[in-house]
Amino acid sequence: MFARAGLALLLLGISPHALAEPQDTLAQRMAPCLVCHADADTDLSADYVPPLHGKPAGYLYNQLLHYRAHRRNNPVMTAMVRNLSDDYLWAMATYLSEQAMSFEKSRTSTVGADVLALGETLVTQGDPAKDIPACQSCHGPRLTGVLPNTPGLVGLPSHYLAAQLGAWRQGTRQAAAPDCMRSIAKRLSPQDIEAVSNWLASRPLPADPTPTTEALSDPPMDCGSVSLPGGRP
């Protein structure tokens, strides 16, 4: 039976061994990344590893280069990208950006109503007295990000959001110059960070979780970004 099947495949010009040979696809190469950055039902309740699926490719590419350049500090991530080329990092970012998004469900916050009210004000209006722009002005009206380089803020727990704002405030997380998030985070008090992170984490997920193509208005400040490989726009 198997001999006949093999003969049939040869007549069709297909090597029987080819069917048993392992594939070498980008999806398979990305499997180690998804050990931590799960492709569905990511549980961030006790960790600081965000979901990556569906985030803008430009944002993901920026972060991979920041790890390689030690602008972001994580020994595991730096070791993984240390020897990868710009083109390969762009392929990784593009692949992840094209995958269906998966978010955690929003949570009921345990902080007081006054804290949540402050968070909502900062996210939707900012604080002109401190020269803090509204989060929505850059991260989109649904807070799901803006193409090509701005990430979404919904679907993330408060401790992860607070940790990232704190890292920017302390200078342990950086971006390409001009580092607008570093400037903003330095103007945020610990109370502001608590309020913003808790209000964002309590938001119901929008029906359309994909990044928008345009921000609400012109960016309130200049933000740096790395150049894409191969002269890509």
Side-chain angles (χ1 to χ4, degrees), residues 108-126:
T108 301
S109 180
T110 58
V111 300
D114 56 335
V115 175
L116 292 177
L118 173 60
E120 181 177 13
T121 298
L122 289 169
V123 170
T124 61
Q125 303 175 37

Side-chain angles (χ1 to χ4, degrees), residues 2-229:
F2 292 107
R4 292 177 183 175
L7 178 59
L9 290 171
L10 287 173
L11 291 174
L12 292 171
I14 302 173
S15 167
H17 300 291
L19 299 181
E21 291 175 358
Q23 300 292 311
D24 183 16
T25 65
L26 184 58
Q28 288 176 317
R29 295 183 187 183
M30 295 296 295
C33 303
L34 301 184
V35 171
C36 295
H37 299 279
D39 58 350
D41 300 322
T42 301
D43 181 9
L44 285 171
S45 59
D47 212 339
Y48 294 85
V49 183
L52 302 179
H53 285 53
K55 292 188 182 297
Y59 169 75
L60 295 171
Y61 179 70
N62 269 259
Q63 302 318 301
L64 291 170
L65 260 67
H66 293 336
Y67 280 119
R68 198 178 67 183
H70 299 279
R71 287 188 287 266
R72 291 191 69 173
N73 297 309
N74 183 294
V76 174
M77 284 299 304
T78 298
M80 290 186 71
V81 302
R82 179 185 298 127
N83 298 314
L84 299 181
S85 69
D86 291 355
D87 284 328
Y88 196 88
L89 294 181
W90 174 248
M92 292 172 63
T94 302
Y95 171 82
L96 288 168
S97 73
E98 294 172 347
Q99 307 309 302
M101 307 180 85
S102 58
F103 287 121
E104 284 194 318
K105 295 179 180 178
S106 58
R107 299 172 177 78
T108 301
S109 180
T110 58
V111 300
D114 56 335
V115 175
L116 292 177
L118 173 60
E120 181 177 13
T121 298
L122 289 169
V123 170
T124 61
Q125 303 175 37
D127 186 343
K130 294 183 180 179
D131 198 18
I132 297 172
C135 302
Q136 271 186 333
S137 64
C138 290
H139 293 271
R142 302 192 306 273
L143 298 168
T144 57
V146 179
L147 297 174
N149 296 326
T150 308
L153 301 178
V154 291
L156 297 168
S158 58
H159 70 268
Y160 176 81
L161 293 164
Q164 300 314 304
L165 290 171
W168 255 307
R169 190 168 184 264
Q170 298 299 320
T172 55
R173 177 174 177 175
Q174 302 173 39
D179 190 346
C180 58
M181 279 304 305
R182 166 76 165 143
S183 299
I184 293 170
K186 288 170 65 176
R187 301 167 192 165
L188 293 170
S189 69
Q191 293 75 24
D192 293 337
I193 290 176
E194 178 190 27
V196 167
S197 58
N198 275 279
W199 189 81
L200 286 170
S202 70
R203 292 301 81 208
L205 302 180
D208 180 5
T210 59
T212 59
T213 57
E214 295 183 2
L216 282 172
S217 59
D218 291 336
M221 56 197 307
D222 291 332
C223 295
S225 179
V226 299
S227 299
L228 299 185

